[in-house]
Amino acid sequence: MSRSIGLPAPDCGARRAAARARRDAVSPLADHRGDGVTLINGEETAYGMSFPANYHKGLPHDVNGAVHPPSYHAMVRVLTGQETGAVETLPMGANRHGAGTAEDPIRLTVPGNETAPPSDRLGYRKLTSPFTGHVFENQGADAAALGFQPAPRLDTPELAAEMAELYAMALLRDVPFTAITDGTGPGVAAVVSALDSMPYFRPGFQADTDAEQMRYEMRGRITSGADLFRGSTPGSKTGPWLSQFMIAGNRNDRATFQALDGTPAQGNGAGPGFRGVRANFGSNDGFVLFGTQVIDQRSIVAKPGIDYMTNWASWLDCQNGVDFNNLDVFLDRRRYLTTPRDIATYVHYDALYQAYLVACLLMLAEGRLFPKDRGLPETSSRTRSAFASFGGPHVLSLVTEVATRALKAVWRQKWMHHRRARPEAVAGLLTLHANDPDRIADESLRSTIGRLHSMIPADILSRVAAHNTAQNASTNAAVRIKPRPAGEIPAGLPAIADATNYLLPMAFPEGSPTHPAYGAGHATVAGACVTVLKAFFEMYGDDGRAERMWPLPALVPTFRPDLSGNADEGGELVPAPGSPMLTVQGELNKLAANVAIARNMAGVHYYTDYSESVRLGERVAVSILEEQLSMYPEPVSMSFTSFDGDRVRVSGNGDTAGVQIFADGQKVPAEVWYARYGG
């Protein structure tokens, strides 16, 4: 019998025992990640039986948008109690006002043919993954280990600031990012002036709670277009609004086209009689290499000027669960992400971890410009190169793998704790109060919405009302959801005046998804995926202190100032103005902020959904990295700066692993850091 000249050590039974010991050693790490305490804001029981601050889309509502109380109680009981059988008895779609029947159809009209019969009857929407928060996890932090601060209450300056910003985003939805940041876009100066007048966006604001005060200090003041719609993380406030990772491509400048006789070809292409060694393109062409294929950073985007849910009938239909999905109207060409509507369309259809996979591919293809973290074993080795461990296959799989763990954590917050109403529901309350406050049955709620109304700048509200009036009169679309004829609208709807129509103009025909706000799935996945990228790739310069600078040209999409939709608007990338000093880590932070805040630009999330959720995703990712590094039989470490500006180092010594946190030069216990945003 032949034998090899060497066997792995340990092997067989000894290896099995060692594997079990490693797995057992990981379990105690879970005891140092917070106790999962999550405090709620108390509004679920504050306004009688109407639950105005909580999510109940798809359940039956009356004509004023108030949920049927027994249905809401049943939903909460079923979801928190894991009654998987009883969930089938919830009255989803039961009050669609006949949608799907001949007696009371929803009409979809085509301009030029408004007399056509209604289209196929629309279905209703279902609750999205309501039990995910109960699922256990065997890698990284359990979904219940990491908590959230209470969500802002309806009558707080923070919530007023969030709603004012959402209205502002809707008003500027078709203004290019470059015209927003330099203040030249139509309406930008007025929006900045209105927001800057709010106490929450002024210096010296003092909040009633520590959580609100902390978020205020991270967010910063709005004094110019350059401050609008920015994230609260290092780098997200620097340079162009859009991260370079959303538009830039790889350089592929090693092409050598030659004639068959050896004469160099002219230009970037090879004609007949030439042989091409490699395709030639630059970072401003926006192509990211995916093996021998390319990912084009240009996107399919929604047609400008078309918003939804701007009249009470369509708003109420959406609250009752009518399924208006996939009725978007798109521009007839692709372009780089140029406006808030463009990036809202991106996050309407993205694969959730898509932006971070593309960013990872870009950095891998430009390996000399984006080296791996110096603490990884192969980075400085003379004889080893990374592949199965700490190479492309490793980071590509992990940057997507953390997404599912992030979703479990945030879904528990959504459904099991906060059940926060979506912004469209709050806008409905503001509209109802402005037109007929007596339709709000609870006296305390009437007073609360009155205070909220008074805190939102009147100029923003009047501009929204004018915008909605114009939308409701418009037929500028291939397909439009129109208000139904009077005979097909449920009796008793409130009369909404044009001047006080404060419904939030939505970028999506269906409005928000069918799960609560706070937190946000996109934002939590963004935090987790970006954290993996910051950990795997080197974020610091040679001295290990200064951040690594962005190594490619800083770019922005082109646009025409008249916003006419001409072919060259967003059709190419040009140098960013002002030679901004960008860093790799800052652009990754900005990438997470872009994707998360894009959901706000669509009208389906609040700012605090973003700011809390990216930090939740960060903690999920660090917990997974901590456990993974404990499995390596040699020293390994990863270092980066957290979304709060803390220096984070995840390291293994060949036996166990741990997390070191330094804030302002002082060491912070890992268990304190993990529990920072819990109750």
Side-chain angles (χ1 to χ4, degrees):
M1 179 178 178
S2 60
R3 299 177 62 87
S4 67
I5 62 173
L7 294 172
D11 199 13
C12 300
R15 167 71 186 201
R16 184 167 59 249
R20 178 181 297 176
R22 290 269 178 165
R23 293 180 183 180
D24 290 344
V26 165
S27 296
L29 294 176
D31 295 332
H32 302 285
R33 292 180 182 145
D35 52 15
V37 172
T38 291
L39 299 180
I40 57 176
N41 67 12
E43 286 190 302
E44 193 168 35
T45 57
Y47 307 111
M49 300 289 285
S50 60
F51 311 109
N54 297 100
Y55 175 86
H56 32 71
K57 191 169 183 174
L59 295 176
H61 297 78
D62 65 20
V63 292
N64 298 320
V67 68
H68 180 236
S71 297
Y72 182 80
H73 275 288
M75 181 187 75
V76 174
R77 183 193 70 250
V78 165
L79 300 186
T80 56
Q82 306 183 57
E83 299 178 22
T84 55
V87 74
E88 301 300 329
T89 67
L90 293 179
M92 301 303 299
N95 197 28
R96 290 176 292 138
H97 302 306
T101 69
E103 289 75 22
D104 197 9
I106 304 292
R107 289 189 183 277
L108 304 182
T109 61
V110 180
N113 190 23
E114 278 76 6
T115 60
S119 69
D120 291 340
R121 309 301 181 217
L122 297 174
Y124 67 92
R125 303 175 73 192
K126 306 174 185 180
L127 302 180
T128 303
S129 301
F131 292 114
T132 297
H134 288 298
V135 178
F136 290 96
E137 183 52 66
N138 62 1
Q139 188 177 53
D142 181 69
L146 305 172
F148 262 12
Q149 297 280 1
R153 291 174 63 97
L154 289 175
D155 59 353
T156 61
E158 185 173 26
L159 192 280
E162 290 190 293
M163 287 303 300
E165 182 183 52
L166 287 167
Y167 283 132
M169 287 176 166
L171 293 171
L172 302 182
R173 197 168 274 153
D174 293 314
V175 179
F177 292 119
T178 49
I180 290 174
T181 55
D182 68 15
T184 62
V188 173
V191 161
V192 169
S193 177
L195 293 179
D196 187 47
S197 71
M198 301 183 73
Y200 191 80
F201 291 123
R202 303 288 294 178
F205 174 77
Q206 292 297 315
D208 293 332
T209 68
D210 291 341
E212 189 176 3
Q213 188 67 33
M214 179 171 59
R215 289 191 293 249
Y216 160 75
E217 292 171 359
M218 290 189 301
R219 187 169 194 185
R221 185 180 175 186
I222 293 178
T223 60
S224 69
D227 303 322
L228 281 176
F229 317 145
R230 295 282 190 166
S232 63
T233 58
S236 60
K237 296 180 174 69
T238 303
W241 188 89
L242 200 65
S243 171
Q244 297 300 298
F245 285 108
M246 296 293 285
I247 52 176
N250 293 126
R251 301 170 308 157
N252 204 25
D253 54 6
R254 288 173 286 176
T256 54
F257 293 107
Q258 293 181 331
L260 296 181
D261 62 3
T263 304
Q266 300 298 315
N268 291 337
F274 291 88
R275 60 187 177 193
V277 177
R278 190 163 182 166
N280 188 21
F281 49 81
S283 61
N284 63 336
D285 290 313
F287 297 130
V288 177
L289 290 168
F290 193 5
T292 57
Q293 297 175 299
V294 293
I295 295 173
D296 190 343
Q297 294 273 39
R298 290 173 296 178
S299 292
I300 298 169
V301 298
K303 190 173 182 180
I306 303 175
D307 293 325
Y308 303 92
M309 293 173 58
T310 55
N311 63 75
W312 194 264
S314 63
W315 177 89
L316 184 61
D317 283 332
C318 283
Q319 305 318 301
N320 282 322
V322 177
D323 189 358
F324 291 113
N325 271 294
N326 300 314
L327 297 176
D328 313 63
V329 182
F330 297 100
L331 206 60
D332 59 2
R333 58 184 174 80
R334 294 178 299 120
R335 69 182 185 188
Y336 295 104
L337 300 177
T338 306
T339 67
R341 190 182 301 277
D342 291 354
I343 198 169
T345 308
Y346 179 96
V347 297
H348 198 188
Y349 292 100
D350 63 330
L352 213 59
Y353 56 74
Q354 179 175 335
Y356 324 108
L357 177 63
V358 172
C360 188
L361 289 168
L362 188 152
M363 288 194 285
L364 287 172
E366 297 279 4
R368 288 176 295 177
L369 300 182
F370 298 96
K372 300 283 181 41
D373 190 288
R374 69 191 70 194
L376 304 185
E378 289 90 348
T379 299
S380 59
S381 173
R382 185 181 67 83
T383 59
R384 300 162 59 182
S385 63
F387 185 69
S389 295
F390 305 114
H394 188 171
V395 65
L396 284 169
S397 61
L398 185 59
V399 78
T400 59
E401 181 185 353
V402 295
T404 182
R405 274 83 180 193
L407 288 175
K408 289 172 185 174
V410 74
W411 244 247
R412 188 171 182 88
Q413 294 293 321
K414 284 175 176 289
W415 282 115
M416 304 305 150
H417 292 293
H418 304 284
R419 294 183 286 277
R420 187 185 189 186
R422 292 281 180 164
E424 65 195 46
V426 177
L429 288 169
L430 286 164
T431 302
L432 196 64
H433 183 275
N435 286 274
D436 189 354
D438 289 339
R439 284 180 175 265
I440 299 178
D442 185 84
E443 183 178 351
S444 175
L445 179 60
R446 280 201 305 274
S447 176
T448 295
I449 299 304
R451 289 195 298 274
L452 175 61
H453 183 182
S454 69
M455 288 188 284
I456 299 175
D459 184 56
I460 285 182
L461 290 174
S462 64
R463 288 172 183 270
V464 167
H467 178 90
N468 287 343
T469 298
Q471 284 290 310
N472 293 336
S474 173
T475 58
N476 181 27
V479 178
R480 287 286 288 164
I481 303 170
K482 289 303 221 179
R484 291 175 289 173
E488 296 177 355
I489 296 176
L493 288 184
I496 306 299
D498 285 346
T500 48
N501 181 349
Y502 303 147
L503 295 174
L504 180 61
M506 305 297 289
F508 305 160
E510 73 279 12
S512 76
T514 50
H515 48 88
Y518 205 64
H522 272 78
T524 314
V525 169
C529 293
V530 160
T531 297
V532 168
L533 292 176
K534 292 196 297 184
F536 262 78
F537 291 90
E538 181 58 61
M539 294 294 107
Y540 304 104
D542 293 340
D543 63 358
R545 296 179 179 275
E547 288 197 25
R548 181 172 291 276
M549 302 305 295
W550 177 254
L552 296 168
L555 305 167
V556 293
T558 55
F559 77 98
R560 278 188 172 272
D562 63 0
L563 309 181
S564 61
N566 290 318
D568 59 348
E569 181 184 322
E572 63 178 334
L573 299 175
V574 297
S579 302
M581 301 296 288
L582 307 178
T583 67
V584 176
Q585 189 160 227
E587 290 305 290
L588 285 170
N589 288 347
K590 190 187 294 182
L591 176 63
N594 287 168
V595 172
I597 293 174
R599 299 288 285 179
N600 305 2
M601 289 173 164
V604 303
H605 270 296
Y606 308 87
Y607 192 90
T608 46
D609 296 343
Y610 145 71
S611 62
E612 294 281 337
S613 298
V614 292
R615 291 163 171 86
L616 175 65
E618 178 178 66
R619 289 174 286 159
V620 169
V622 168
S623 71
I624 292 171
L625 293 172
E626 182 182 20
E627 293 186 6
Q628 285 203 358
L629 296 195
S630 70
M631 297 296 168
Y632 286 85
E634 62 180 325
V636 57
S637 68
M638 301 171 170
S639 300
F640 60 94
T641 302
S642 78
F643 292 134
D644 291 327
D646 305 328
R647 187 71 176 254
V648 180
R649 185 172 186 266
V650 188
S651 60
N653 60 12
D655 185 23
T656 60
V659 180
Q660 291 179 305
I661 312 290
F662 291 89
D664 298 323
Q666 301 296 314
K667 188 173 182 179
V668 177
E671 55 267 28
V672 173
W673 181 80
Y674 274 119
R676 177 179 290 173
Y677 292 97

